[in-house]
Amino acid sequence: MNFVKRAGFSLWSRRGRTLITFCTFLAISVMVLASVLIADATAQAKNEAKRSVGAEVNLGMDLTGQNAAGGVAPQISAATLEKLGGSTLVQKYNYSMFDRGIVKGGTELVTGGADTEASGMGPGGTPTIGVLDTALLPDFRSGNFQLLSGAHITAADKDKHLLLIEERLARKNGLKTGDKITLGANEGSATEKFTVAGIYRDPRPSSEPEPEYFVDPANMLYASVGGFAGLNATKDASLQVGKATFLLKDAGDLERFKKEAERIAGPELDGFELDANDKAIQQMTGPLDSIGSTAALAMWLIGIAGAAVLVLLVNLAVKQRRKEYGVLLAMGERKWKLIAQQALEIVAVAALAIGLSSLFTQNLTQSASRSLLGAEAAEARHKLDSWQPPAPGSTGIDQGIDPDDEPVENADPIDTIDIRLDPAALATVGAVGLGLGLLATAIPAASVLRLSPRTILTKGK
């Protein structure tokens, strides 16, 4: 009788042991397959989150360097940033500079809210941000600011004299798009008429000072960067800015972009740091990391326990069959055929268990992941919703509030993933299951078959 038939008869005659082995393999297969499916689904969800958010790299003052001690804020040439923005890695880019603008010609700032004197801007003075493209500013991109009328300032308007003003300032002065506002320079007597390109809405109340400049948010102005810089006696050819934002085409290109920035900008980057703004991605994918680690831990625990049980079962089976091996060897059977028979029995049971697990593990994993991920996402949302900003003028550190924990708008934690069974996942499970089975079979069987038939039969069991 060949070893294939013997393997079939052995499995049938030892049905109890076969069933226990089958259940062990089934448990291992289900846990390993579920973990692989969750890992694949979470990886896919993370990639989709990165694509939806985009990779944002901010160029700003290095607060850990020498400038952190209160020195002069570094500046970089706009021409250099435009070269970097032309990289094939970059989808869109923006840069900005800040200075004081002084409203003149009868235009009045909004009063009665935040204490404008505390800002140190002086009479008629208000923070003015010269920006290349207002649509790419974080508050506009997130939807926090809403453009009510007119149009955004774009790169095509760089050298024009355009302004975006807040609706409360427009309402107080009876301004609409197309109207003119006279701005005075921060230093000197230069003035320039700026056209109102658009009117926007900032939802923050006037009683809440703008956190960076400590003025009434209704008085914040956004101007075309070249025109505003020209007002302050800076020629366009030497336009210097203090901040920039680059939206990369692929979030995985961050390191390549940093190297390209160092090559193009060189020493101009001194005093600056390139910071990947991946906070939104982390906020969205936090629950995914949690269930991924839980699934991996469960897989290892069940897998190790199952493998231990499997090794014990196979080792016990091999010892129980010492006499059978001795008789077969005495009859001239080859040793490799005996090991092949034992391996075939294990492979047959493992294949059946893996096949059965593939029929229901996908639905089971989808239900389990929905429950686990839903709970993690709900907890994450509760934490985000309960975050309170520090009081105006306070960093919040003395109150135990970390400003870096402020939630990112429009970046809700992911609460669903799509579990899909593909051939690669099934192949992984098959390789793990069969590998464990063959390893558990080969080692004890080889130790027995090193003995001679006489030794096996005389020692019995």
Side-chain angles (χ1 to χ4, degrees):
M1 182 184 299
N2 63 50
F3 70 91
V4 176
K5 289 184 178 180
R6 285 203 310 268
F9 283 125
S10 176
L11 290 174
W12 180 253
S13 62
R14 299 177 174 89
R15 291 185 291 274
R17 192 190 68 199
T18 300
L19 181 61
I20 294 175
T21 305
F22 172 79
C23 292
T24 302
F25 265 117
L26 184 61
I28 296 174
S29 300
V30 169
M31 292 307 303
V32 173
L33 183 57
S35 181
V36 171
L37 292 179
I38 289 178
D40 290 345
T42 53
Q44 180 66 26
K46 287 181 180 180
N47 289 334
E48 291 177 357
K50 289 180 180 180
R51 285 194 294 268
S52 65
V53 173
E56 180 178 326
V57 181
N58 293 317
L59 175 71
M61 178 178 170
D62 184 3
L63 297 178
T64 62
Q66 60 181 1
N67 292 305
V72 178
Q75 291 188 321
I76 187 170
S77 167
T80 300
L81 295 178
E82 288 170 1
K83 289 181 182 179
L84 187 54
S87 167
T88 56
L89 305 177
V90 177
Q91 180 182 8
K92 296 178 182 179
Y93 71 97
N94 197 21
Y95 56 75
S96 63
M97 49 85 66
F98 156 77
D99 211 330
R100 182 181 65 152
I102 302 176
V103 294
K104 296 185 175 183
T107 303
E108 297 181 357
L109 297 176
V110 175
T111 57
D115 182 8
T116 55
E117 293 184 1
S119 66
M121 291 289 166
T126 188
T128 305
I129 310 298
V131 62
L132 183 67
D133 191 333
T134 55
L136 296 180
L137 291 172
D139 282 314
F140 282 108
R141 284 173 46 215
S142 67
N144 186 37
F145 288 2
Q146 181 182 357
L147 188 65
L148 302 179
S149 63
H152 277 289
I153 297 171
T154 66
D157 304 318
K158 172 185 172 184
D159 297 323
K160 298 179 182 179
H161 296 86
L162 302 178
L163 279 180
L164 284 191
I165 63 174
E166 213 275 334
E167 65 171 334
R168 285 165 287 186
L169 180 64
R171 186 166 53 243
K172 179 172 182 176
N173 293 277
L175 296 170
K176 59 182 182 299
T177 56
D179 289 346
K180 304 286 186 178
I181 294 179
T182 301
L183 279 185
N186 181 30
E187 296 180 358
S189 58
T191 61
E192 188 65 61
K193 288 186 179 296
F194 283 75
T195 301
V196 177
I199 298 173
Y200 71 95
R201 175 178 293 162
D202 183 340
R204 293 173 296 189
S206 289
S207 58
E208 180 181 319
E210 204 283 334
E212 187 170 0
Y213 303 104
F214 303 104
V215 298
D216 189 326
N219 293 324
M220 290 292 297
L221 301 179
Y222 296 92
S224 46
V225 62
F228 183 61
L231 173 64
N232 288 280
T234 300
K235 296 181 180 179
D236 294 347
S238 61
L239 176 60
Q240 302 288 312
V241 297
K243 292 182 180 180
T245 299
F246 301 89
L247 299 179
L248 305 186
K249 296 177 181 178
D250 189 338
D253 289 333
L254 174 60
E255 292 303 321
R256 288 179 58 197
F257 177 76
K258 286 184 175 180
K259 291 180 180 178
E260 191 161 344
E262 292 173 356
R263 178 180 61 81
I264 293 175
E268 287 192 76
L269 287 180
D270 292 346
F272 288 96
E273 66 175 349
L274 284 169
D275 178 37
N277 185 15
D278 57 354
K279 185 177 179 180
I281 297 175
Q282 294 176 356
Q283 183 172 301
M284 295 174 67
T285 60
L288 297 178
D289 295 332
S290 180
I291 70 162
S293 59
T294 300
L297 178 60
M299 180 196 74
W300 281 107
L301 291 177
I302 298 297
I304 292 174
V309 172
L310 185 63
V311 169
L312 291 175
L313 288 174
V314 173
N315 192 48
L316 180 61
V318 169
K319 288 183 177 181
Q320 290 176 340
R321 299 172 71 172
R322 285 170 62 97
K323 190 172 184 179
E324 176 186 342
Y325 287 158
V327 172
L328 290 172
L329 289 172
M331 293 173 62
E333 186 65 282
R334 301 286 186 86
K335 290 184 178 181
W336 71 265
K337 288 188 177 182
L338 296 183
I339 297 179
Q341 175 189 336
Q342 184 70 37
L344 182 60
E345 295 176 13
I346 290 294
V347 167
V349 175
L352 184 60
I354 293 170
L356 181 60
S357 68
S358 67
L359 298 179
F360 64 86
T361 301
Q362 178 176 340
N363 293 333
L364 180 64
T365 306
Q366 184 71 68
S367 299
S369 66
R370 186 181 298 114
S371 177
L372 289 173
L373 187 56
E376 291 291 340
E379 182 179 350
R381 279 195 297 269
H382 175 72
K383 183 178 180 180
L384 295 174
D385 293 340
S386 61
W387 187 86
Q388 294 293 330
S394 171
T395 62
I397 297 177
D398 57 340
Q399 306 167 32
I401 301 175
D402 186 354
D404 291 336
D405 291 338
E406 181 179 1
V408 179
E409 296 288 341
N410 301 321
D412 294 333
I414 296 174
D415 57 3
T416 58
I417 54 176
D418 186 16
I419 300 295
R420 294 182 181 179
L421 178 62
D422 55 28
L426 202 57
T428 300
V429 177
V432 172
L434 295 179
L436 285 174
L438 293 176
L439 187 63
T441 299
I443 295 176
S447 64
V448 172
L449 296 181
R450 281 198 300 267
L451 303 175
S452 64
R454 181 189 299 274
T455 302
I456 295 175
L457 291 174
T458 54
K459 290 189 176 181
K461 295 184 182 181

